[in-house]
Amino acid sequence: MARQLDEQIVGRYPVGQRLRVLDVGMGQGTQALRLARAGHQVTGLEQDSTMVAAARESLSAEPEGIRERMRIIEGDGRDTGVHFLPGSFDVVLCHGVLMYVEEPDPLLAGLARMLAPGGLLSLLVRNGDALAMRPGLAGDWAGALGAFDTTAYRNRLGLDVRADRLSTLTATLAGIGAPLQAWYGVRVFTDTAADDTEAPADVEALLACEERAGRTDPYRGVAALLHLCGVRG
């Protein structure tokens, strides 16, 4: 996904331009730190205090220049209007968050308002059109049959969450003034791997296959996750 995001940024902004980035639901700050290291001014917003502490610990180990380019705010992603003025960011990330939000449209509308004209909105969501893939590949036929007609699922943490369909999000992005410009699949071939699986010796070949599949039909349509990129009009 990082490669996909970089592709969109490079294709939209001049090389070397320092962008204002907002990472909503940043978790432990993996993407936020990566972008700060690349020279961008990054704000991370996260409501889980444990994740905030982990992100701050990671940031504290960075050189001073990177620490100065990144700030971390503990807060709810649905309250961006409380923390920031409209149009304050060139790039807004919301990765792995929508599945935990029962009504995502108000959140998405708020994120779009944070974007400057021409700004990039990057979403990573569970693919509601491919929920039957994981149970089906595991031989759980009852689970696979039940997954065809729903967007609800139980994740690996045992939480009951929700997925998003590409067609629905495409319509939503158009409605909030940040129409879809590109989309990719994420975890096409590797979704069934256990969380503690060690990286294979040929990890670069694996990444090359995933990257190619993530931009190629019909493979991207059955990916576990979808990476959607909208642009503020």
Side-chain angles (χ1 to χ4, degrees):
M1 186 194 67
R3 296 182 184 185
Q4 298 164 356
L5 179 60
D6 288 347
E7 177 182 277
Q8 291 299 312
I9 290 175
V10 169
R12 186 155 299 279
Y13 297 103
V15 175
Q17 180 176 338
R18 179 174 291 187
L19 302 175
R20 301 165 298 166
V21 179
L22 173 63
D23 189 351
V24 174
M26 69 169 183
Q28 59 188 3
T30 302
Q31 286 297 322
L33 271 173
R34 188 183 71 84
L35 291 169
R37 290 178 188 131
H40 303 301
Q41 196 73 36
V42 182
T43 300
L45 183 63
E46 173 60 54
Q47 66 175 349
D48 187 309
S49 58
T50 301
M51 290 293 185
V52 168
R56 286 179 172 154
E57 182 177 359
S58 297
L59 181 60
S60 69
E62 296 290 328
E64 181 180 358
I66 294 174
R67 296 199 305 271
E68 291 175 348
R69 287 198 295 271
M70 183 171 166
R71 63 172 173 158
I72 297 171
I73 299 174
E74 186 169 346
D76 194 315
R78 290 168 290 193
D79 297 330
T80 50
V82 174
H83 300 286
F84 316 109
L85 293 174
S88 295
F89 298 95
D90 304 301
V91 179
V92 173
L93 314 180
C94 186
H95 296 164
V97 174
L98 289 194
M99 55 274 289
Y100 299 104
V101 180
E102 188 172 344
E103 296 292 339
D105 286 6
L107 168 63
L108 291 172
L111 299 185
R113 283 194 293 271
M114 294 301 103
L115 285 169
L120 176 67
L121 176 60
S122 173
L123 306 175
L124 184 70
V125 304
R126 181 69 176 176
N127 185 4
D129 294 318
L131 285 182
M133 289 297 294
R134 183 184 293 175
L137 292 173
D140 175 8
W141 308 120
L145 283 171
F148 282 109
D149 300 314
T150 183
T151 54
Y153 71 103
R154 178 163 292 181
N155 67 13
R156 289 177 173 176
L157 300 176
L159 301 175
D160 291 321
V161 288
R162 48 172 295 281
D164 288 281
R165 298 189 186 278
L166 177 62
S167 58
T168 301
L169 278 180
T170 299
T172 299
L173 290 172
I176 61 175
L180 184 67
Q181 297 295 306
W183 68 277
Y184 308 85
V186 176
R187 291 202 331 231
V188 177
F189 301 125
T190 56
D191 183 52
T192 56
D195 292 338
D196 58 355
T197 300
E198 293 186 7
D202 57 346
V203 64
E204 287 302 320
L206 181 155
L207 292 173
C209 287
E210 281 284 354
E211 187 176 6
R212 178 72 177 271
R215 64 179 67 250
T216 304
D217 291 323
Y219 305 103
R220 62 178 181 167
V222 296
L225 303 167
L226 297 179
H227 179 198
L228 289 78
C229 299
V231 173
R232 180 73 171 171

